[in-house]
Amino acid sequence: MDLSGLAHDADRPALSEYLSGLDQEILEQMEAVSRQVVDLSDGKGATSLNTVVTRKMYNTDIESFEDQLDDLCRSIWVFVNFPDVFDDARSFHTARRYREHGKLYSAFEVADDVPREVTADEIDLDDLSERIRAALDLKAKTSATAIDLLETKTHPPSVMVAIRHGGALSSIQDHRDDGLRTTLYFRPANEAILIYTPSLRRLEVCATGYTVREKTSRTFAEAVLGQDLSKKPLAQWNYSLERFKKSFFLPLPDFDDVEILSAAVTEIEMRPGNWKRRVLLQVTADDDIEDFAERYMTTALAAARVSGFSRIKVVTTYRPRGAKDAKSETLALWVNSINASNVQNARDPNLRDLGTRLLAHWGVMEEQRLLRPEETSRHFESLLFLYDYPEDEVEGRILKAAGVDINRMQSAKLIARKGRQQIVLVEDDDDVIEAELETDERPADLSVTGEFGEDLGTVSASDHTVYLIDRVYLAEVVLDALRAELGARSASTETDHIASFGAVEIGEQRMPVYLVRSLASHPRPELLDLEFRRRHVGGPGLVLATGDTKIPYLGSYAVVQLRKVVTCGDEGLVLEPEALEQAWRLGQSLVTASDAPMIIRHDHSFSTLQVPGQPPFNVFGEKQAIMFERLIEASRSGVPDVRTGTLMQGMVSKSPMLLFSSTAWKEVKDHYLTQARPKSWRLGPASPDVI
């Protein structure tokens, strides 16, 4: 950015005046950079910067760094003079914040036979970068930097690798000196941060997508650690506290190498209604925590039985078998609801192994099994159903009816069990009433109790289990599969309902392609139509709808139901290119074929208006359709102008404007209808003869 117009000794008012003259988008980019600089000048950020500077810079540069006035000046100095070091410090600081928790974070356990000692200097960064670029199917160049992390109070020595690559092409608008606007294109940096701790055999990775985290971790394990993933794949464990909703009793396992003498829950934590609220009960290993909880925490315990616990601590005593005079030892394990545990923090591999086996035996810990490529294809119909489902929570009976393999989706962590319904609607003597679901004697059933306590039988517990859909991870899986089939360079989620594949070759043309979910059930489909009308500058394109829909196009984009052009099974996912091109051509013919105004009725609430010279306009509403039918009839009669009173006859609204939202009205007025005179309207865009 050119700052030559600003004097070096400019005071605060002059700086403020200079910045106020810049475009908003430019200021947003400047603000993002400023936040990064400030972030590395305060608290742990400054510590992160100091750590990386001492590891990456020479003594003379370190002295200049230390000579700066304060932490903020030091951060600015590094940003200006050593941008690569600044980026490494920012990556390290990000990794520190997400190392213990966070949605951008994953941790894997590597095989026992991999090298224990790995340093930054031993890593072939060029080879690793190229392998990760190929694994992620990236077109842009990928770079990597590595740094050794010294031992801290909470973490053993480790090595950090930051993988950086350009993201999807973006742009901002800026004013030129002549007053016109110009487009500045750039690629925002994406990165994945890996931290390998040899003593724990633990590989941690921070990145915005789970697919990126999984693929970069696999590549690092193969390229740097030499692990044969075909024989010993990376293991990622997931933790669940669901089993404690029923009981705190822990059955003792029978291990060959270790005798488990006792196991007891000694601490339970609940967050009733709000994460800021905390209810904690701690007892000794000799106490019955269930008895104490029932006596002193009845209400909170009942709530936790439904919503779940936030943290559980277990104390186990054990003794090695076969060792004479072996003393009993104690192992304390905790698991919390954000999918974290201390089991992997034990430096003794034997204790880590014992803790893992204990949590797995109690059903608290299980290995996450990602969908393999052939499984993605086999389950693609189910993935589309989940992706298109309008709500984030779905009942078991709905998943069963759709043919979804609930257990496999759970093990892949695409859905997670949230709880079960408490109140349902049932038929009783030809009337629909509310009934309560209660635990039955048989675990697979639930008792149905009427509003007066009457017994209404039993229902399947699994049918009324509620599952939470992991929208972010599910979108990654679906978009990545479709991106590969479309041959698109990238795929990104833009809004809750719209995902973009950028420009894609369809037949002999390149056009923008989008994926839209929940089109049929969208509460305001007209907003989606308006959104795509605003995207017309990209030229005609294609919208893939994940569900059934009667809408043939959005703006100038032809809509095709994805299920009609995709086949899936054990042999892989196939997106039929001929069917895709044919669907696009058919949609475009509808867009351009009309040489006379018409309105096509799809049902009582949805129609499509076609006006020559204008892209089709989706009409959502009976009154809007009637109004346009009157205008079309007048246009065909040769007397195009219709008085407002005649046009709005039988409607509560007194003006066409009141039938549309303010945003939709801007799209309609002077394009699809025009105010010919103060009290009359005509169909089509404004023309010179309109006064």
Side-chain angles (χ1 to χ4, degrees):
M1 183 176 298
D2 184 14
L3 298 178
S4 58
L6 184 66
H8 291 292
D9 58 348
D11 55 15
R12 183 182 294 271
L15 177 61
S16 177
E17 180 181 359
Y18 177 81
L19 293 176
S20 64
L22 299 178
D23 284 346
Q24 181 64 33
E25 291 178 318
I26 296 290
L27 290 174
E28 289 175 358
Q29 298 299 318
M30 293 179 65
E31 184 178 2
V33 172
S34 299
R35 280 199 213 100
Q36 295 174 3
V37 172
V38 173
D39 202 26
L40 291 184
S41 67
D42 181 56
K44 292 184 178 180
T47 304
S48 298
L49 181 63
N50 290 332
T51 300
V52 174
V53 164
T54 56
R55 306 296 296 170
K56 299 283 288 188
M57 291 168 55
Y58 296 107
N59 289 338
T60 54
D61 295 325
I62 294 176
E63 291 176 359
S64 299
F65 168 78
E66 294 174 344
D67 288 341
Q68 303 305 310
L69 293 177
D70 54 22
D71 287 335
L72 179 59
C73 292
R74 280 185 275 274
S75 180
I76 296 173
W77 184 83
V78 176
F79 174 79
V80 172
N81 296 283
F82 297 91
D84 292 340
V85 175
F86 184 87
D87 286 342
D88 286 343
R90 183 172 51 82
S91 299
F92 176 48
H93 186 46
T94 300
R96 291 182 67 181
R97 286 185 294 186
Y98 285 103
R99 205 172 185 185
E100 299 301 335
H101 61 277
K103 294 182 178 180
L104 305 181
Y105 170 83
S106 296
F108 300 88
E109 183 178 351
V110 301
D112 293 337
D113 56 355
V114 300
R116 276 193 171 274
E117 298 299 330
V118 176
T119 64
D121 293 337
E122 296 172 348
I123 299 175
D124 187 339
L125 296 176
D126 292 336
D127 178 67
L128 179 61
S129 299
E130 180 57 29
R131 290 197 186 202
I132 290 179
R133 188 199 64 77
L136 297 178
D137 194 20
L138 299 172
K139 306 301 180 184
K141 181 181 178 181
T142 303
S143 62
T145 59
I147 181 174
D148 292 316
L149 303 179
L150 300 180
E151 182 175 9
T152 66
K153 294 181 180 179
T154 55
H155 297 287
S158 53
V159 59
M160 183 192 80
V161 179
I163 309 295
R164 301 187 181 95
H165 62 89
L169 188 64
S170 185
S171 64
I172 56 177
Q173 297 294 319
D174 186 26
H175 277 104
R176 301 187 313 201
D177 294 337
D178 57 8
L180 299 177
R181 293 175 68 86
T182 184
T183 303
L184 304 177
Y185 293 95
F186 67 98
R187 290 189 181 275
N190 289 342
E191 69 177 4
I193 307 164
L194 298 103
I195 298 179
Y196 177 57
T197 307
S199 62
L200 300 181
R201 301 191 187 281
R202 183 176 175 86
L203 179 58
E204 301 163 282
V205 57
C206 304
T208 55
Y210 190 88
T211 301
V212 174
R213 299 198 293 269
E214 192 264 343
K215 289 184 177 180
T216 53
S217 298
R218 286 175 54 87
T219 304
F220 183 89
E222 290 178 324
V224 178
L225 304 180
Q227 181 168 340
D228 186 353
L229 298 182
S230 63
K231 297 179 180 178
K232 295 182 179 180
L234 287 175
Q236 182 179 20
W237 299 96
N238 291 290
Y239 306 94
S240 172
L241 301 178
E242 289 292 315
R243 56 105 56 227
F244 294 107
K245 289 183 178 181
K246 298 178 180 178
S247 172
F248 296 121
F249 172 73
L250 298 173
L252 302 183
D254 187 14
F255 295 149
D256 293 334
D257 56 337
V258 176
E259 179 185 8
I260 306 300
L261 302 176
S262 66
V265 175
T266 61
E267 180 181 314
I268 57 175
E269 181 187 87
M270 294 153 278
R271 304 279 182 166
N274 189 305
W275 191 255
K276 295 180 180 179
R277 304 188 189 113
R278 180 171 176 261
V279 178
L280 176 67
L281 174 62
Q282 293 176 322
V283 298
T284 70
D286 297 326
D287 293 323
D288 183 350
I289 196 169
E290 189 125 27
D291 177 59
F292 276 84
E294 290 285 359
R295 279 195 286 164
Y296 300 110
M297 306 173 63
T298 305
T299 303
L301 182 62
R305 297 288 195 200
V306 176
S307 60
F309 297 94
S310 57
R311 176 183 165 105
I312 295 286
K313 182 178 179 180
V314 177
V315 173
T316 302
T317 58
Y318 66 93
R319 181 168 51 209
R321 295 186 187 273
K324 293 183 178 180
D325 301 327
K327 296 182 179 180
S328 62
E329 303 286 345
T330 300
L331 176 63
L333 301 168
W334 59 257
V335 178
N336 63 30
S337 59
I338 60 172
N339 197 33
S341 172
N342 69 332
V343 66
Q344 296 296 330
N345 295 338
R347 302 197 179 192
D348 186 341
N350 294 323
L351 288 182
R352 289 203 308 274
D353 176 67
L354 177 59
T356 298
R357 286 187 290 161
L358 285 170
L359 294 180
H361 175 77
W362 294 324
V364 177
M365 182 179 188
E366 66 175 9
E367 185 176 355
Q368 179 169 349
R369 298 184 296 116
L370 299 180
L371 290 179
R372 300 184 299 275
E374 62 273 15
E375 286 187 295
T376 299
S377 174
R378 190 185 316 137
H379 294 286
F380 198 71
E381 285 284 347
S382 297
L383 295 174
L384 280 186
F385 172 81
L386 291 171
Y387 187 83
D388 191 66
Y389 195 73
E391 306 294 336
D392 292 337
E393 297 177 5
V394 57
E395 301 165 30
R397 62 182 178 83
I398 296 177
L399 295 177
K400 290 180 181 179
V404 176
D405 187 337
I406 296 177
N407 291 333
R408 187 64 188 97
M409 294 298 106
Q410 273 192 284
S411 63
K413 294 304 174 184
L414 292 166
I415 61 175
R417 187 178 183 275
K418 184 179 180 182
R420 65 169 173 84
Q421 292 176 298
Q422 303 297 311
I423 303 294
V424 294
L425 297 177
V426 298
E427 292 185 5
D428 184 34
D429 295 334
D430 298 327
D431 191 15
V432 178
I433 64 171
E434 284 190 354
E436 185 176 356
L437 297 181
E438 298 179 345
T439 303
D440 191 71
E441 295 178 356
R442 291 173 295 185
D445 293 334
L446 294 172
S447 298
V448 184
T449 304
E451 52 189 343
F452 298 106
E454 66 272 27
D455 184 6
L456 299 179
T458 61
V459 295
S460 170
S462 60
D463 284 352
H464 295 278
T465 299
V466 178
Y467 297 90
L468 183 65
I469 301 174
D470 188 333
R471 286 286 173 202
V472 176
Y473 181 31
L474 176 64
E476 286 185 47
V477 174
V478 172
L479 294 181
D480 192 56
L482 292 175
R483 181 197 59 79
E485 278 300 301
L486 286 169
R489 292 186 175 182
S490 62
S492 59
T493 299
E494 295 190 352
T495 70
D496 185 47
H497 288 81
I498 302 174
S500 171
F501 295 100
V504 177
E505 284 192 16
I506 304 294
E508 298 180 353
Q509 302 187 58
R510 287 187 66 84
M511 65 187 69
V513 176
Y514 293 91
L515 184 71
V516 173
R517 60 174 287 266
S518 305
L519 182 55
S521 58
H522 196 287
R524 298 285 302 279
E526 65 273 15
L527 297 182
L528 283 176
D529 186 56
L530 292 173
E531 174 63 29
F532 279 97
R533 297 180 72 81
R534 287 193 289 267
R535 297 171 185 251
H536 72 280
V537 292
L542 191 64
V543 168
L544 301 174
T546 55
D548 299 331
T549 179
K550 296 180 180 179
I551 299 177
Y553 28 74
L554 293 171
S556 60
Y557 290 78
V559 175
V560 56
Q561 295 179 34
L562 184 58
R563 288 186 174 90
K564 294 184 177 181
V565 295
V566 68
T567 57
C568 45
D570 293 338
E571 297 182 357
L573 186 71
V574 178
L575 197 59
E576 301 289 350
E578 295 82 7
L580 203 60
E581 183 179 6
Q582 183 180 5
W584 178 77
R585 292 191 182 280
L586 177 61
Q588 284 303 301
S589 67
L590 292 174
V591 171
T592 59
S594 177
D595 56 0
M598 68 176 67
I599 189 164
I600 305 171
R601 289 272 195 161
H602 303 292
D603 56 37
H604 71 282
S605 61
F606 168 52
S607 309
T608 302
L609 173 68
Q610 290 186 324
V611 175
Q614 297 292 329
F617 185 78
N618 287 323
V619 179
F620 299 94
E622 176 72 12
K623 294 180 180 180
Q624 295 177 12
I626 293 174
M627 183 196 71
F628 280 118
E629 286 174 341
R630 291 172 179 173
L631 290 172
I632 290 173
E633 183 179 353
S635 176
R636 290 174 177 174
S637 70
V639 184
D641 294 353
V642 181
R643 292 186 63 82
T644 303
T646 303
L647 185 63
M648 306 305 294
Q649 184 178 358
M651 303 183 192
V652 176
S653 303
K654 300 299 182 181
S655 169
M657 181 178 67
L658 301 178
L659 296 179
F660 301 89
S661 67
S662 59
T663 304
W665 180 246
K666 293 178 182 178
E667 296 287 335
V668 172
K669 188 175 184 297
D670 296 333
H671 298 282
Y672 297 92
L673 82 162
T674 303
Q675 190 168 16
R677 291 174 177 80
K679 294 184 178 181
S680 64
W681 300 82
R682 67 168 54 178
L683 187 71
S687 57
D689 64 321
V690 175
I691 59 175

